[in-house]
Amino acid sequence: MTTSTPQNDSFDINESTYKTSHTAVRKARRFAVQGLYEWLMTDYRFATQNRDLLGGNEPHTIVARTRSENAMHTVHLGYYHELMREIPLKSGELIVEIARYLDRSFDKLDVIEKAVLLIGAYELKYSKHIPYKVVLDEAMQLNTHFGATDAHKFINAVLDRYAKEARTVEYQANKAEKQAKQDHQ
């Protein structure tokens, strides 16, 4: 008689074996851009345009496939999971908040720009342990790696204006420090 152990296809968000270096977090963001791109092209778009096609490519499905098809031993898996779980859940709220700083509708943006802006907005609002200047720099790096040539200027401008709202105290402190340095010279 053989006994089978039940298979659990879900991943533990609190895995303790993942890398936690800055490079591992950067790699988590890169995989998240790719995953969000796929989600924005499929399930998100179907939910907003053609509900009959919705389903089958949810964020957890994208995560599972990504993990099975890639060597992820150098990626901060916990952060990757957080981004892929929380950004789709909070996308409506984040889009409304950053839309105030866009010169066109969010729906008219390039899909990579959408993914990078969602990651940047999420980090500015919910990852307070990451300095806002780092968030902006990382967003520009993501765009440099995946996006259009000059889109980094647009990404930086939108996220900088959003940082002023989402990180008011930190933003003002940085501005005051910058002014003090100029006054000292």
Side-chain angles (χ1 to χ4, degrees):
M1 180 173 154
T2 58
T3 59
S4 62
T5 307
Q7 294 269 334
N8 183 355
D9 292 333
S10 66
F11 297 103
D12 181 5
I13 298 302
N14 299 313
E15 290 182 62
S16 60
T17 58
Y18 53 73
K19 302 286 183 182
T20 58
S21 69
H22 294 292
T23 302
V25 171
R26 179 172 282 159
K27 289 178 181 181
R29 285 186 192 99
R30 285 186 176 189
F31 276 105
V33 165
Q34 294 169 319
L36 290 170
Y37 176 90
E38 185 176 341
W39 175 73
L40 287 163
M41 290 296 291
T42 57
D43 262 28
Y44 172 79
R45 184 170 53 89
F46 297 152
T48 59
Q49 295 174 6
N50 188 350
R51 294 197 63 79
D52 294 339
L53 298 172
L54 183 62
N57 209 29
E58 298 87 356
H60 68 274
T61 304
I62 295 167
V63 167
R65 187 176 51 254
T66 299
R67 287 200 54 185
S68 71
E69 295 174 355
N70 294 281
M72 307 273 295
H73 62 281
T74 61
V75 176
H76 190 306
L77 292 175
Y79 198 56
Y80 170 63
H81 283 252
E82 177 185 339
L83 294 174
M84 287 300 295
R85 180 186 66 241
E86 295 299 321
I87 291 173
L89 287 174
K90 294 173 174 31
S91 63
E93 159 197 334
L94 294 171
I95 290 167
V96 166
E97 291 177 7
I98 61 175
R100 292 178 285 202
Y101 307 107
L102 300 175
D103 59 359
R104 58 192 171 273
S105 165
F106 184 82
D107 292 335
K108 301 279 188 215
L109 298 177
D110 175 78
V111 182
I112 290 294
E113 291 171 356
K114 290 178 186 178
V116 171
L117 284 171
L118 285 171
I119 290 172
Y122 174 80
E123 288 186 328
L124 286 169
K125 186 166 185 176
Y126 295 104
S127 299
K128 304 282 185 173
H129 63 284
I130 304 172
Y132 90 90
K133 290 276 193 183
V134 172
V135 172
L136 270 59
D137 183 60
E138 289 295 323
M140 292 200 321
Q141 292 293 327
L142 288 171
N143 183 76
T144 299
H145 190 77
F146 294 107
T149 304
D150 285 335
H152 68 279
K153 296 172 190 172
F154 171 73
I155 299 286
N156 188 53
V158 171
L159 290 178
D160 188 60
R161 284 182 258 153
Y162 182 64
K164 192 174 185 178
E165 171 191 329
R167 303 274 188 100
T168 306
V169 173
E170 183 183 1
Y171 192 91
Q172 292 302 328
N174 185 272
K175 189 175 174 182
E177 182 181 325
K178 194 177 200 180
Q179 185 62 45
K181 282 182 183 177
Q182 286 178 349
D183 292 346
H184 183 68
Q185 292 176 0

